[in-house]
Amino acid sequence: YKVLDQISSLLMHVKHVKSSTGDTKLLRDRWLALANFVTLEFYSSHWDNSKEISLIHIGIIGTGFAAKKRAEAFTEDDRAQVIAVSGHSKENIKAFAQNYAIQAADSPQTLIANPDIDLVVICNINAEHGKLAQAALEADKHVVVEYPLALSPEQAEYNIKLAQQKNKLLHVEHIELLGGLHNAIREWLPKIGE
């Protein structure tokens, strides 16, 4: 119930922000904060109680907009610690790592293999989502992946079954729901009719 109350409170705040200011950037930031909060609440509730936990250690794959918003939100949560980042561009990885004072992993595979990481957040190009999520799950990591989970239904189905078999969190985040096109469709759809 505590989680539901906090989610309801944040959703009401998001609704108020949208209706009073129309500031979609602030709305998007609040929604990402909510998504991170729900992820951490779910993750915490499924933690193996035989292990002592002080922080959820997070590795982020990707250095773009979604990765930055995730890192900012996780940094503000006292249950989480982002400890590493990886991506495609060495320069972007280095800048991201310096900005958040975290490790720069030279490849997604190196990040996934890091034994200190509990949760892998995948925010890179869509074509790699499925295989990276699979690799993270096979390495016994929990996974949050930006939409889509995979480009093929077979890969997505495999990852879902693998997460179930390993009793790991596999959460697909739909950041597109916060984009301009989706919001425009939602605004105009009722005016079009049934």
Side-chain angles (χ1 to χ4, degrees), residues 24-176:
T24 57
K25 182 183 180 310
L26 184 56
L27 175 64
R28 182 176 53 212
D29 291 351
R30 296 277 188 215
W31 186 257
L32 282 169
L34 173 64
N36 285 347
F37 171 79
V38 170
T39 298
L40 290 173
E41 282 295 323
F42 182 84
Y43 179 83
S44 296
S45 70
H46 286 78
W47 182 258
D48 179 356
N49 291 330
S50 66
K51 293 182 178 180
E52 187 174 319
I53 181 171
S54 56
L55 291 172
I56 298 168
H57 296 113
I58 300 168
I60 298 177
I61 299 174
T63 57
F65 172 79
K68 289 174 185 171
K69 290 301 179 184
R70 293 267 179 212
E72 290 167 9
F74 284 132
T75 300
E76 293 176 12
D77 195 304
D78 60 0
R79 296 168 295 176
Q81 181 182 18
V82 179
I83 64 170
V85 66
S86 186
H88 286 286
S89 160
K90 300 271 186 223
E91 296 81 27
N92 290 350
I93 295 168
K94 182 179 177 183
F96 194 101
Q98 287 175 344
N99 190 44
Y100 296 100
I102 59 176
Q103 301 169 17
D106 61 356
S107 71
Q109 293 74 19
T110 302
L111 182 141
I112 290 168
N114 184 332
D116 295 329
I117 292 175
D118 305 307
L119 172 67
V120 175
V121 179
I122 302 169
C123 308
N124 69 337
I125 61 173
N126 294 350
E128 295 181 359
H129 288 188
K131 289 293 185 188
L132 289 173
Q134 178 182 342
L137 290 166
E138 288 172 347
D140 291 320
K141 311 293 185 189
H142 296 276
V143 176
V144 172
V145 59
E146 298 295 333
Y147 177 84
L149 170 55
L151 294 184
S152 77
E154 296 81 14
Q155 177 73 65
E157 185 177 346
Y158 179 82
N159 288 348
I160 292 167
K161 287 180 181 176
L162 182 60
Q164 290 169 341
Q165 289 169 359
K166 292 191 163 268
N167 196 29
K168 296 296 177 186
L169 168 69
L170 174 59
H171 173 71
V172 181
E173 186 60 42
H174 295 270
I175 199 165
E176 286 82 5

